Amino acid sequence: MFMRLVIAGTLMVSAGLAHADHAHSVDNGGKHAFGAGVAMVAASYDSMLYVGNYQGIAAAVTWSNDRFAAGASTAWYRIEANGRSLYGFGDVVAHGQVRLVGDRHAGAGVMAAASAPTGDDRHGLGMGHPMLMPALFGTWHVDRVRLAATAGYSVALGGNDGHDHGMWPIVEPMNRSELTWSAGGDVAITPRIHGGVRLSGGVPIGDGDHRLAGGVRAGWTSGRFITAAELQAGLAGDPFNIRGVVSGSVSF
């Protein structure tokens, strides 16, 4: 889910390659093996049964080298649903990836993420069950342009009661079982400033809703620090109306 991986997106290559929703985020590694970051999010939403907004702060740690990457993240939210305000943690996620083939211009590999149901699913903060999210990824870059894409599968582990409120949770809705995808590009405008666009979505397997979101992103790199801002729009499936994210990370 987005807030469980948004930090990993900023901890990718310094050019800020587009990151994917729902724990499918490509990290290209590098000489700095460890990283940490924080992100703040604010969004409004209008779903089948709930209307309101939410704000959150996420924290993550990562490790990477030329071929491997791994990390973990969690988020704390304030959510307003039909006029009622609630507070709590979202689900915790751990992720890893390995680049199987590639050179300095292109690469491809596999990744996987798993979430623990630490968020309160009764109030829209968590899925209510573990999720497993494997995927394939590919990257390509030349000069100042970088592209990335993922294709994966997300499935609930355990439980057979379904989501009574459609896609769930409110803070990052998805189906119990779905095919996921993302595509994005990034351009280094100057050695320190970069901008990009991305699309991500999900196709339900069985009952569920199609979802689609798009966003534009700008970032600034200074040594081992990366700061970024992203504005996103929910295009289908009511994942949210509008969402903004400001993030910062450091590698060491």
Side-chain angles (χ1 to χ4, degrees):
M1 295 164 180
F2 180 79
M3 282 304 294
R4 296 184 297 181
L5 61 85
V6 67
I7 303 298
T10 65
L11 289 173
M12 293 186 300
V13 293
S14 61
L17 205 61
H19 51 278
D21 279 355
H22 298 97
H24 293 159
S25 175
V26 183
D27 189 324
N28 279 359
K31 64 181 180 179
H32 302 301
F34 296 96
V38 64
M40 294 177 288
V41 62
S44 65
Y45 66 92
D46 185 356
S47 64
M48 180 174 61
L49 297 178
Y50 297 93
V51 177
N53 60 78
Y54 60 86
Q55 302 80 42
I57 182 167
V61 292
T62 63
W63 169 88
S64 65
N65 65 12
D66 288 339
R67 292 187 57 203
F68 301 95
S73 60
T74 189
W76 171 268
Y77 294 99
R78 171 198 174 273
I79 183 171
E80 181 179 304
N82 294 343
R84 181 185 181 188
S85 295
L86 301 165
Y87 300 83
F89 282 102
D91 291 345
V92 173
V93 67
H95 61 88
Q97 73 172 59
V98 56
R99 180 169 59 87
L100 300 177
V101 296
D103 54 26
R104 63 190 184 93
H105 293 297
V110 296
M111 62 177 68
S115 66
T118 53
D120 186 347
D121 63 300
R122 298 170 301 170
H123 297 127
L125 295 173
M127 289 293 284
H129 46 71
M131 294 290 294
L132 181 63
M133 296 162 277
L136 303 175
F137 72 86
T139 63
W140 176 85
H141 66 91
V142 60
D143 296 329
R144 296 184 176 185
V145 178
R146 297 177 182 267
L147 304 176
T150 69
Y153 173 57
S154 298
V155 62
L157 300 179
N160 56 10
D161 54 347
H163 292 312
D164 295 334
H165 310 291
M167 290 193 298
W168 204 247
I170 292 174
V171 294
E172 194 61 53
M174 65 186 302
N175 297 288
R176 282 180 56 88
S177 179
E178 64 179 16
L179 301 176
T180 60
W181 63 271
S182 71
D186 190 277
V187 177
I189 301 169
T190 72
R192 291 189 176 185
I193 299 173
H194 54 269
V197 297
R198 72 185 183 97
L199 288 172
S200 63
V203 179
I205 299 176
D207 295 333
D209 299 302
H210 293 261
R211 57 178 179 82
L212 174 65
V216 294
R217 184 175 185 269
W220 177 70
T221 302
S222 178
R224 298 181 179 182
F225 294 90
I226 301 175
T227 57
E230 185 165 346
L231 184 63
Q232 306 164 352
L235 305 177
D238 295 327
F240 48 80
N241 296 327
I242 193 76
R243 180 164 60 181
V245 182
V246 177
S247 57
S249 63
V250 58
S251 56
F252 48 91

